């Protein structure tokens, strides 16, 4: 979603996907671009070729829109930070040649960046090295680097599951190096399991219906602004995020 929003706003975007294959990324982008609340297309249906003619026409229109957006992507797993930096500079040069500046670089996700070997066996130090390297890359290229990060599993075991800075996996260096830390929290995710008790199940289903399209963006660190929570609309199956005022 961040890649598309930035590109649609006219920013040149470099995108490193270290986890998903290109077809998976493309399906998610297409369903976002083709999204309508009344007739959403789910990316799983694209991947499994379960789309009718009308949906196919919308997907083709979205594909034409996607082709015109200033996005350059890499989908190779196992890249080191040095390789990412080298390829990011090539992306920036390629944008320069067409009169477009790369201003956003997305890394999905930093936990899959291969460490250099300098701190082999010390995961905290390895993550710190990667975090510092991405911050340095942002400064060197004068771009906003958006690095996705997994959370510690401890959040699953407590009653209040809204994440905080202490939940960043493996290292406090991420908090230290980042100018902005935003957590996404989707209440419906924790209401999806069925219960045996019928009364509790009815209450769960009612709560799920109320919050199924709710997404909280929790600004936990902001070096240049305020903290707080921004409510948003989400249709997770279509990879679509919109303003909270969006009506289906």
């Amino acid at each position: 979603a961040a890649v598309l929003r930035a590109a649609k706003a006219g920013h040149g975007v470099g995108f490193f996907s270290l986890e998903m294959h290109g077809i998976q990324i493309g399906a998610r982008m297409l369903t976002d671009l083709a999204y309508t609340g009344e007739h959403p297309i789910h990316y799983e249906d694209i991947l499994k070729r379960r789309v009718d003619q009308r949906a196919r026409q919308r997907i083709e229109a979205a594909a034409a829109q996607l082709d015109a957006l200033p996005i350059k992507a890499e989908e190779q797993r196992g890249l080191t930070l040095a390789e990412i930096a080298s390829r990011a500079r090539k992306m920036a040069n390629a944008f320069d040649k067409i009169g477009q500046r790369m201003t956003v670089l997305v890394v999905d996700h930093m936990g899959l960046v291969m460490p250099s070997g300098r701190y082999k066996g010390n995961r905290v130090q390895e993550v710190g090295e990667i975090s510092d390297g991405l911050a340095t890359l942002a400064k060197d290229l004068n771009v906003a680097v958006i690095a996705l990060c997994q959370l510690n599993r401890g959040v699953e075991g407590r009653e209040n599951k809204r994440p905080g800075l202490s939940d960043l996996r493996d290292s406090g260096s991420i908090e230290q190096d980042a100018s902005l830390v935003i957590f996404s929290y989707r209440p419906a995710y924790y209401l999806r399991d069925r219960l045996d008790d019928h009364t509790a199940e009815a209450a769960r289903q009612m709560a799920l219906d109320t919050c199924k399209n709710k997404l909280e963006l929790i600004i936990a660190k902001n070096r240049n602004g305020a903290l707080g929570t921004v409510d948003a609309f989400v249709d997770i199956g279509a990879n679509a995020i919109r303003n909270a005022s969006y009506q289906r």
Side-chain angles (χ1 to χ4, degrees):
V3 172
L4 287 179
R5 298 288 87 73
K8 289 176 73 175
H11 298 284
V13 182
F15 178 34
F16 287 90
S17 176
L18 307 181
E19 184 170 29
M20 288 191 293
H21 296 295
I23 190 171
Q24 297 171 311
I25 300 166
R28 286 163 169 79
M29 289 186 175
L30 290 174
T31 54
D32 187 344
L33 290 170
Y35 187 74
T36 64
E38 291 185 354
H39 302 289
I41 303 170
H42 287 182
Y43 57 80
E44 183 178 354
D45 291 333
I46 293 179
L47 294 173
K48 295 185 177 180
R49 303 179 183 274
R50 298 185 308 211
V51 293
D52 58 23
Q53 182 59 33
R54 182 175 298 180
R56 187 175 292 109
Q57 291 174 348
R58 289 167 54 198
I59 293 168
E60 290 173 352
Q65 185 180 357
L66 180 59
D67 286 341
L69 291 177
I71 301 171
K72 296 187 181 299
E74 292 264 0
E75 55 175 290
Q76 183 177 337
R77 294 180 65 94
L79 293 178
T80 65
L81 184 61
E83 290 170 330
I84 289 174
S86 175
R87 296 185 187 196
R89 290 186 176 89
K90 290 180 180 178
M91 285 180 178
N93 290 334
F95 274 118
D96 288 340
K97 289 179 180 178
I98 60 173
Q100 173 90 47
R101 195 172 83 81
M102 185 175 77
T103 55
V104 179
L105 183 67
V106 179
V107 178
D108 180 17
H109 56 83
M110 64 180 300
L112 292 178
V113 177
M114 290 292 290
S116 66
R118 180 181 179 186
Y119 300 108
K120 188 173 183 179
N122 188 328
R123 187 56 183 165
V124 171
Q125 294 285 354
E126 288 176 342
V127 172
E129 179 185 46
I130 292 167
S131 175
D132 178 70
L134 291 174
T136 300
L137 182 61
K139 186 175 182 179
D140 289 347
L141 293 181
N142 192 25
V143 300
V145 172
I146 302 174
L148 279 67
C149 180
Q150 291 184 326
L151 301 181
N152 292 316
R153 294 202 177 274
V155 70
E156 302 285 342
R158 63 178 189 248
E159 184 173 352
N160 181 4
K161 300 186 186 302
R162 284 178 175 81
L165 291 172
S166 62
D167 295 311
L168 291 171
R169 175 173 278 187
D170 294 322
S171 177
S173 297
I174 300 171
E175 176 188 350
Q176 175 182 305
D177 294 328
S179 295
L180 185 68
V181 177
I182 302 176
F183 296 104
S184 62
Y185 173 72
R186 191 163 57 90
Y189 177 84
Y190 296 101
L191 291 169
R192 62 185 180 177
D193 296 329
R194 296 186 62 85
L195 303 175
D196 293 332
D197 181 85
H198 293 298
T199 302
E201 168 58 21
R204 183 198 70 87
Q205 188 60 52
M206 183 178 296
L208 181 58
D209 290 342
T210 300
C211 70
K212 65 181 180 180
N213 294 121
K214 183 177 180 181
L215 176 69
E216 296 180 18
L217 300 174
I218 303 166
I219 305 170
K221 178 183 178 180
N222 189 354
R223 190 167 287 165
N224 300 306
L227 307 180
T229 299
V230 177
D231 290 330
F233 170 96
V234 65
D235 188 329
I236 200 68
N239 199 55
I241 298 175
R242 302 291 185 268
N243 291 334
S245 59
Y246 181 86
Q247 298 294 322
R248 294 185 68 107

